[in-house]
Amino acid sequence: MVDMALARGERPDYMNERIFCRNRLPPRAYFLPAQTLLLSGKWRFHYASSPLDPEPISHKAGVWSMIDVPGHWQLQGYGHPHYTNFDYPFPCNPPYVPSENPTGLYETDFSVPSHWHTNGGFEYRLRFEGVDSAYHVWVNGEGIGYGQGSRNASEFDISEYIRSGDGEKNTLRVKVYQWSDGSYIEDQDMWWLSGIFRDVYLIAFPKKAHIEDYFIRTELDDNYKDAEIKFTVWGHFTCAVKVTMSLYDVNGQQKVSPQSWDLRSYAIVHDNGFKVSTPSKWTAENPHLYTLTIILSADEEVLQEITQPIGFRKVELKDGLVHVNGRPILFKGVNRHDHHPRFGRAVPIEFIKKDLLLMKQHNVNAVRCSHYPNHPSLVSFANSIGLYVMDEADLECHGMGVDMAHNLSNNPTWKASYLDRMHQLVQRDKNNPSVIIWSLGNESYSGENHVEMYKWAKRFDSTRLVHYEGDHAYAASDICSSMYNSVDDIVSMASSDEQKYKEKPILLQEYGHAMGNGPGALQEYQDAFYKYRRLQGGFIWEWANHGLLKQVGDGSGRAFYAYGGDFGDEPNDKNFVCDGLCTSDHLPGPGLVELKKVYEPITVTMKNNALIVRNQYDFISLKDLQYTWTISRFSPDGEERQLVSQTENIIGDISGPGSEFAIGPFDQSITKWDLSHPETWLNIAFRPQSKLPWAECGHEIAWADFRLDNDQLVIRKPPIEPNSSSLRVSELDGVLHIGASDFAIAFDLIRAKMLTWSYRGVELICEDAGPRLSFWRAPTDNDKPRAANTWRGWGLHRMRQQVRDVHYGHVEDSGLFEIVVQSYNAPPVIAWGFETITTYTIPSNGKISIHVSAKPTGNPPSILPRIGLEMMLPLDWTTAQWFGLGPGQTYRDMKQAGKIGVWKRDVDDMMVDYDMPQENGNRAETRWVKVTDERGIGIKAILERGTSQSTASAQHSKSSSADTRASDTWQLVDRLKENIDGSSGRPGFDFAVSRYTAEDLNQAQHPYELKGSDGIIFRIDDDHHGLGSASCGPDTLERHQLKMREFDFTVRLGATGS
């Protein structure tokens, strides 16, 4: 069985840009007829290194193996996965492909089901939902056709070749080529994976008459009240037939009486329709669906019945913005690839549904199918649960950037292939209300081929908008699309007088690159979207990491999520494929938790001690929600006391979309409590009153917290208690020994560091691993392009302490013992450093106060990774408890989702196992932290800055035992609006606990390579640099950078639980 083009001495089909199909039927709307047989399962398989290798001629053992369909052969033991972002993994010379072109030969046998024969003759077809990258098809040894376009379906008429008798066997053979000319325009940022990766069907339509295709449009009147259903039907009718349509609501009740049309032998029926009075409208917030049944009959015999969910909605460009049903919408979106950690793009439907449910539960309202039509179940499920879909053509030729002289997008010989990919997209998904925007593809530069795609889409479907980012003149786009702009950039665009920005909305097709630890500053983007009407939101890049599960290879049974290079694939772009909000197994990561808070559809601010609720939904009121407000008090020793909690409903007529209304005031509940304690908090949470299709009734949709202050509040630093007994002090061989009845400390006077510290016989630190000044963090993926280069260039990863002077003695009056170290902390080679004075104050109770004053000298860097103390604690101290933001990790530009509270976690749960190890697990705005063993024995730490304390970071004020002492005056303080500019007003401090040092994290390429330290790494930071999204986007915002300056802070340490 040979490619006929080869037989004629021509270029083979898979290397000819003018040939992208042979005998393929026209693309159509996605529906499967009643006569459908799934052919997926175990198929025979033969793997060859070239299409020209001899094919097996027998079915003898050893010639064929078995393979799963759907699936990729690289994930089933043949060849290997290959990851590149945009570089072609073969010479860039379109349309030619490598001679070494791995080829998979698939075979399976099938029989036509016997019950299909009862209704007379059928036309039989094979339907392939997705094959990568090109393929020829044979049935019973006869050549059927050729298909290309990996994420597009193909149907072939096999009526002439099929054996349809009872029990008659048919043999289907498919020859799949890894590389084809289509590979040049399928250069998306993902794994190169081959094979039959979506389902294969045998389907049958009645020969007498059948509907081939249909296009349903719901047109709303100018008031968006009444509607008309218009439809076009394409069919094959050999006799007079009747088409009957019935419309049912969600309860199965007919919305209108059945509508019928008598048809003759017309192949196409254009623009028939019928009126529908006041239907409920479809939006992502209220995805109201009706069921349309289409019945084709002849002589009272039902030949075909099609069921199509429809939603009444109108999409238009109005006043320069995307409108749905007459209202502008705000996209709170994500980009999504088809991915599964074991099956690649052969994604089970339940896994896709799980993705979309997670999106809804995390306040996402839109998904961009990047960068190809996702599995057809995605748009179907989006219809039902409510997500706006930007549906994208299977088109990207990013790698052609190395040869722009041969820009495929402007090459007429490729125009038909471009147009075909647009036809495939639109025809398959045209009847889905969730699809409101067509996209011409991704990162394919621009050219006349895009213009032709745009023109065809607008001619065929006037009910949707068309998007494309690559043409910055936007001649082929209804939207001013952009990506990875900074906040300042999009504000400038929104404020611009350029005509294109006035006539068309600004939409970020990609932003907030979620690679590794990040992204930071999502809230700043959202604030801009809310403030500037021309900004209609965007789509985070991207939904999930693309790691593929791989065995370590040492026989241990351990596995890890592999990325570029882990399969010997060269060239590769390493872990750039791991840039998602979710982990590689599609569980929510810290980025998604943060995004849920940023995207929440209810925002709460304060005004005159009342809470102002703003409904950020575009269509629905808040009447189906309830809110619970709670006042809690946190004591210095970690006790949380709930003072009052109350649940109330929201009045619907004041809570419509875009409305603002006050809840409270809370005076009667608040003023009866003593508010002189600095850690009294009001929390408010919004939940649905009843179960939703995508969430339980207890699901938290939005929340906010505020600190309560009053004029009685007095902030003061707790003093160090004077010695109540004398200390034992001795010096031997350069080591200073300080002790009392309960504790002992050994301090190295030569190297100026704490060697040991024990309390009541318990060692509180690992030997020779006491607190030391530390600046470094393991670079994140977002650090590596910019900040990490600065830090390494200034030697921050190899800072050393030069001891200049050490003196010690008792302090007059208090009797406290002090060790004062003057040192110079600096890297080798470079002429800059910190002049540092570190003062260790030790009272007789065994607690330690470490004051650090650090002044930069020379030519220092402009920014730092972090600054604080680091030490190693005993290995069995595996519990962290803290008062501050939690429970997950938080950073100065990624802490919107952090809730104030007392939290307790195992050390392993404090860390985040990114597919590429890096800085992780920080907690911000901490008041105190304890690290203990399972018995509660361990160490407690707090940090204070300078000589003054902010309200938020104070640990204790004047005590009050009378909770009922009334306070007539009080004030709400918004935690998220407090000063974070690096001054002493910053709330709390940062800390982290980990089994790994920064160097461990930096050296490892995968989590399984982390060996672990001899103890628990405990880090207490005065300040910490933000995260940003510079892995592909803007750097950390100025306000979130840790700027070089003088530092002055005190860390107080004490034993706890012993």
Side-chain angles (χ1 to χ4, degrees):
M1 299 180 183
V2 297
D3 181 345
M4 294 309 298
L6 277 174
R8 294 190 297 269
E10 301 172 359
R11 273 188 288 152
D13 291 347
Y14 58 81
M15 210 151 49
N16 187 342
E17 75 276 19
R18 298 177 187 272
I19 304 297
F20 44 84
C21 65
R22 289 185 186 274
N23 299 329
R24 190 194 70 196
L25 295 171
R28 62 174 180 84
Y30 181 77
F31 70 96
L32 296 175
Q35 288 75 29
T36 295
L37 176 66
L38 179 65
L39 301 182
S40 301
K42 293 285 186 181
W43 288 33
R44 296 184 292 276
F45 183 73
H46 176 77
Y47 181 76
S49 62
S50 167
L52 304 181
D53 286 349
E55 297 179 6
I57 58 175
S58 72
H59 292 154
K60 291 182 179 179
V63 177
W64 296 86
S65 55
M66 302 302 290
I67 198 167
D68 288 327
V69 173
H72 299 283
W73 67 58
Q74 290 92 342
L75 301 180
Q76 300 185 66
Y78 304 93
H80 59 75
H82 196 144
Y83 169 65
T84 60
N85 173 13
F86 57 81
D87 291 330
Y88 295 123
F90 46 78
C92 182
N93 185 26
Y96 300 99
V97 299
S99 301
E100 291 291 319
N101 185 5
T103 301
L105 196 63
Y106 292 78
E107 268 197 4
T108 192
D109 300 322
F110 66 91
S111 298
V112 176
S114 59
H115 65 274
W116 287 13
H117 304 294
T118 59
N119 291 332
F122 286 99
E123 293 180 3
Y124 294 96
R125 301 178 184 180
L126 287 172
R127 180 176 177 89
F128 296 84
E129 297 291 358
V131 182
D132 195 323
S133 100
Y135 56 106
H136 284 95
V137 181
W138 294 263
V139 172
N140 297 328
E142 300 289 340
I144 300 299
Y146 172 75
Q148 187 175 299
S150 298
R151 269 67 65 179
N152 296 321
S154 291
E155 281 187 6
F156 301 95
D157 188 338
I158 61 170
S159 302
E160 291 184 39
Y161 310 103
I162 195 169
R163 300 164 186 154
S164 58
D166 277 347
E168 287 190 282
K169 185 180 77 171
N170 296 275
T171 299
L172 168 61
R173 175 175 284 199
V174 185
K175 190 173 186 179
V176 182
Y177 314 105
Q178 179 164 332
W179 307 120
S180 70
D181 56 272
S183 302
Y184 284 96
I185 53 175
E186 293 179 358
D187 185 29
Q188 294 95 337
D189 176 11
M190 60 186 186
W191 293 98
W192 297 92
L193 295 169
S194 313
I196 305 174
F197 68 95
R198 289 182 184 163
D199 283 322
V200 183
Y201 299 97
L202 173 70
I203 60 177
F205 291 101
K207 281 184 179 179
K208 185 176 182 180
H210 62 265
I211 294 172
E212 290 271 354
D213 195 8
Y214 57 93
F215 186 12
I216 308 296
R217 284 94 67 204
T218 59
E219 298 188 359
L220 303 184
D221 63 18
D222 291 342
N223 296 318
Y224 309 98
K225 180 182 177 183
D226 296 326
E228 182 178 8
I229 291 181
K230 287 192 173 182
F231 64 90
T232 302
V233 172
W234 293 265
H236 174 70
F237 313 136
T238 63
C239 61
V241 297
K242 177 183 289 186
V243 173
T244 303
M245 292 192 179
S246 300
L247 186 67
Y248 301 91
D249 64 18
V250 69
N251 297 314
Q253 301 298 311
Q254 281 193 346
K255 178 65 176 174
V256 295
S257 59
Q259 307 289 308
S260 296
W261 295 267
D262 292 320
L263 307 176
R264 296 292 176 180
S265 56
Y266 301 111
I268 303 176
V269 180
H270 280 297
D271 293 333
N272 276 334
F274 55 92
K275 304 285 187 180
V276 182
S277 177
T278 62
S280 298
K281 311 305 185 295
W282 188 97
T283 69
E285 296 166 12
N286 189 4
H288 198 103
L289 288 176
Y290 291 83
T291 299
L292 181 70
T293 62
I294 308 171
I295 296 176
L296 181 73
S297 59
D299 300 326
E300 305 301 322
E301 177 190 8
V302 174
L303 300 175
Q304 190 177 11
E305 182 171 350
I306 300 170
T307 300
Q308 176 64 52
I310 67 168
F312 289 89
R313 59 106 182 94
K314 184 175 184 178
V315 181
E316 57 192 329
L317 188 62
K318 185 177 178 182
D319 300 327
L321 296 174
V322 180
H323 281 62
V324 173
N325 301 343
R327 289 178 178 269
I329 63 173
L330 186 64
F331 291 91
K332 299 177 178 180
V334 294
N335 283 272
R336 181 194 176 275
H337 273 278
D338 274 341
H339 165 267
H340 187 279
R342 289 193 294 129
F343 307 135
R345 284 186 290 281
V347 186
I349 291 176
E350 289 305 312
F351 201 75
I352 295 171
K353 289 182 177 180
K354 174 190 166 189
D355 271 358
L356 270 60
L357 286 172
L358 274 178
M359 291 177 192
K360 289 290 288 188
Q361 291 163 4
H362 287 81
N363 296 325
V364 171
N365 73 356
V367 57
R368 177 181 176 222
C369 296
S370 49
H371 302 293
Y372 46 81
N374 285 193
H375 190 284
S377 67
L378 183 141
V379 292
S380 176
F381 196 48
N383 295 339
S384 62
I385 67 170
L387 285 166
Y388 298 119
V389 175
M390 179 186 285
D391 214 356
E392 193 152 277
D394 189 4
L395 177 62
E396 179 171 339
C397 58
H398 200 167
M400 288 303 298
V402 301
D403 185 18
M404 286 303 294
H406 297 91
N407 177 13
L408 302 183
S409 298
N410 217 27
N411 186 330
T413 68
W414 289 78
K415 181 173 76 171
S417 183
Y418 273 58
L419 280 169
D420 178 68
R421 288 166 187 263
M422 196 65 190
H423 294 168
Q424 290 272 12
L425 167 75
V426 173
Q427 297 290 10
R428 191 194 78 171
D429 291 342
K430 59 181 176 281
N431 293 315
N432 291 278
S434 59
V435 179
I436 66 171
I437 298 174
W438 302 120
S439 179
L440 305 184
N442 186 66
E443 293 181 320
S444 296
Y445 309 100
S446 63
E448 189 59 30
N449 294 342
H450 286 119
V451 175
E452 291 301 313
M453 295 169 73
Y454 174 83
K455 288 179 179 178
W456 176 84
K458 298 298 286 187
R459 284 195 307 269
F460 180 82
D461 180 13
S462 61
T463 69
R464 294 177 174 93
L465 303 181
V466 178
H467 160 275
Y468 182 61
E469 183 272 336
D471 175 13
H472 293 164
Y474 305 115
S477 179
D478 297 321
I479 295 165
C480 295
S481 179
S482 194
M483 57 181 176
Y484 301 119
N485 307 76
S486 69
V487 175
D488 287 344
D489 284 345
I490 62 173
V491 168
S492 177
M493 292 163 65
S495 307
S496 171
D497 290 330
E498 287 190 62
Q499 195 64 28
K500 62 184 179 183
Y501 296 135
K502 290 184 177 181
E503 296 176 346
K504 298 178 179 180
I506 300 166
L507 188 65
L508 294 183
Q509 73 164 19
E510 297 172 22
Y511 80 105
H513 197 256
M515 185 176 179
N517 194 349
L522 291 180
Q523 186 63 53
E524 282 79 356
Y525 280 100
Q526 198 64 28
D527 290 344
F529 296 154
Y530 285 144
K531 183 175 181 180
Y532 296 92
R533 68 175 294 272
R534 304 223 54 75
L535 301 177
Q536 282 203 265
F539 298 82
I540 296 291
W541 187 267
E542 65 173 306
W543 174 245
N545 292 349
H546 294 211
L548 294 174
L549 200 63
K550 187 176 189 289
Q551 294 297 309
V552 170
D554 58 0
S556 65
R558 293 179 299 164
F560 66 102
Y561 292 111
Y563 48 73
D566 286 332
F567 297 95
D569 46 317
E570 294 290 343
N572 67 77
D573 286 292
K574 294 195 71 175
N575 66 314
F576 204 72
V577 76
C578 297
D579 50 6
L581 297 164
C582 293
T583 62
S584 289
D585 52 356
H586 291 227
L587 297 175
L592 184 59
V593 175
E594 179 79 354
L595 187 71
K596 178 187 177 183
K597 176 61 178 169
V598 170
Y599 273 1
E600 62 186 11
I602 303 166
T603 52
V604 185
T605 55
M606 59 188 190
K607 183 178 181 181
N608 299 328
N609 286 347
L611 295 183
I612 307 301
V613 176
R614 180 173 178 83
N615 180 356
Q616 300 287 7
Y617 284 114
D618 296 318
F619 294 95
I620 62 174
S621 77
L622 306 182
K623 64 181 179 61
D624 294 327
L625 302 182
Q626 60 187 17
Y627 66 93
T628 300
W629 60 274
T630 304
I631 299 177
S632 300
R633 171 168 299 163
F634 301 93
S635 66
D637 60 4
E639 179 186 0
E640 176 181 357
R641 181 180 179 189
Q642 192 175 99
L643 303 182
V644 62
S645 182
Q646 190 167 320
T647 299
E648 301 181 23
N649 294 330
I650 297 175
I651 301 174
D653 58 1
I654 67 169
S655 68
S659 64
E660 285 189 351
F661 57 95
I663 55 176
F666 304 99
D667 297 72
Q668 291 184 352
S669 297
I670 290 176
T671 54
K672 69 179 183 179
W673 302 104
D674 171 27
L675 300 181
S676 62
H677 194 290
E679 299 293 0
T680 304
W681 289 81
L682 169 67
N683 175 272
I684 182 167
F686 298 85
R687 298 179 176 88
Q689 295 182 31
S690 58
K691 184 178 180 179
L692 300 173
W694 45 269
E696 299 295 329
C697 59
H699 172 75
E700 187 175 76
I701 292 175
W703 63 272
D705 53 19
F706 300 88
R707 199 179 67 249
L708 297 173
D709 288 352
N710 75 349
D711 58 0
Q712 299 177 18
L713 184 63
V714 176
I715 302 300
R716 59 187 178 88
K717 184 190 303 183
I720 299 175
E721 299 176 11
N723 279 353
S724 58
S725 60
S726 60
L727 296 174
R728 300 188 302 271
V729 179
S730 63
E731 181 183 344
L732 180 64
D733 296 331
V735 176
L736 184 66
H737 297 273
I738 310 104
S741 58
D742 285 338
F743 78 95
I745 294 172
F747 191 91
D748 187 332
L749 295 172
I750 299 173
R751 297 168 185 81
K753 63 178 181 179
M754 190 183 299
L755 299 176
T756 61
W757 177 25
S758 64
Y759 185 81
R760 294 182 180 175
V762 176
E763 295 294 337
L764 301 182
I765 60 173
C766 293
E767 188 174 356
D768 201 24
R772 63 179 179 85
L773 189 60
S774 175
F775 304 89
W776 187 242
R777 76 181 188 192
T780 67
D781 288 318
N782 288 309
D783 290 336
K784 291 173 183 177
R786 300 175 193 170
N789 294 328
T790 297
W791 298 336
R792 290 186 186 278
W794 262 265
L796 281 157
H797 59 305
R798 50 189 181 189
M799 297 288 280
R800 300 291 183 266
Q801 176 181 246
Q802 300 175 5
V803 180
R804 302 291 173 81
D805 180 66
V806 180
H807 60 271
Y808 59 85
H810 287 87
V811 179
E812 292 185 13
D813 300 329
S814 68
L816 299 171
F817 189 80
E818 283 189 348
I819 305 170
V820 181
V821 177
Q822 296 183 23
S823 62
Y824 185 62
N825 287 266
V829 182
I830 308 169
W832 81 274
F834 283 100
E835 292 181 348
T836 307
I837 299 176
T838 306
T839 303
Y840 298 80
T841 303
I842 306 169
S844 58
N845 60 11
K847 297 180 180 179
I848 300 176
S849 175
I850 305 172
H851 176 259
V852 176
S853 175
K855 179 180 180 181
T857 64
N859 180 28
S862 59
I863 56 174
L864 297 171
R866 45 173 286 272
I867 183 169
L869 298 183
E870 185 174 314
M871 66 197 80
M872 187 182 293
L873 307 179
L875 194 59
D876 61 346
W877 291 12
T878 57
T879 300
Q881 185 180 24
W882 72 101
F883 174 35
L885 298 188
Q889 68 177 25
T890 47
Y891 291 80
R892 63 192 295 168
D893 61 350
M894 189 181 169
K895 62 179 181 179
Q896 303 298 315
K899 291 185 176 182
I900 198 74
V902 176
W903 308 99
K904 190 174 184 179
R905 290 290 184 274
D906 185 86
V907 167
D908 290 328
D909 294 330
M910 297 290 287
M911 302 180 291
V912 180
D913 279 337
Y914 291 106
D915 292 340
M916 168 73 81
Q918 56 197 275
E919 158 66 31
N920 70 86
N922 189 73
R923 265 64 175 181
E925 295 190 23
T926 308
R927 278 62 166 165
W928 54 259
V929 56
K930 299 176 184 177
V931 184
T932 67
D933 63 14
E934 61 183 13
R935 300 168 297 170
I937 296 174
I939 195 170
K940 179 180 179 179
I942 64 173
L943 182 145
E944 301 157 353
R945 295 186 180 89
T947 58
S948 63
Q949 276 293 102
S950 71
T951 297
S953 61
Q955 301 306 307
H956 189 57
S957 68
K958 61 183 182 181
S959 61
S960 171
S961 59
D963 280 336
T964 58
R965 180 167 35 180
S967 173
D968 295 328
T969 61
W970 56 279
Q971 175 185 350
L972 287 171
V973 179
D974 188 343
R975 172 180 71 80
L976 297 175
K977 302 300 182 184
E978 289 192 300
N979 187 13
I980 54 171
D981 64 1
S983 71
S984 61
R986 286 181 296 109
F989 60 92
D990 291 51
F991 84 93
V993 291
S994 176
R995 295 188 182 277
Y996 311 112
T997 66
E999 188 59 25
D1000 292 335
L1001 294 168
N1002 187 56
Q1003 291 296 321
Q1005 299 297 296
H1006 303 91
Y1008 77 86
E1009 298 170 356
L1010 291 165
K1011 304 303 181 185
S1013 302
D1014 295 332
I1016 301 298
I1017 307 302
F1018 183 30
R1019 202 175 68 193
I1020 309 161
D1021 287 349
D1022 174 48
D1023 209 346
H1024 202 113
H1025 191 74
L1027 297 172
S1029 58
S1031 55
C1032 186
D1035 206 352
T1036 306
L1037 293 180
E1038 284 275 334
R1039 64 189 292 241
H1040 297 308
Q1041 295 178 6
L1042 175 48
K1043 297 291 188 180
M1044 177 62 72
R1045 63 178 189 272
E1046 293 187 24
F1047 295 91
D1048 191 290
F1049 62 90
T1050 300
V1051 173
R1052 298 175 184 243
L1053 302 172
T1056 183
S1058 59

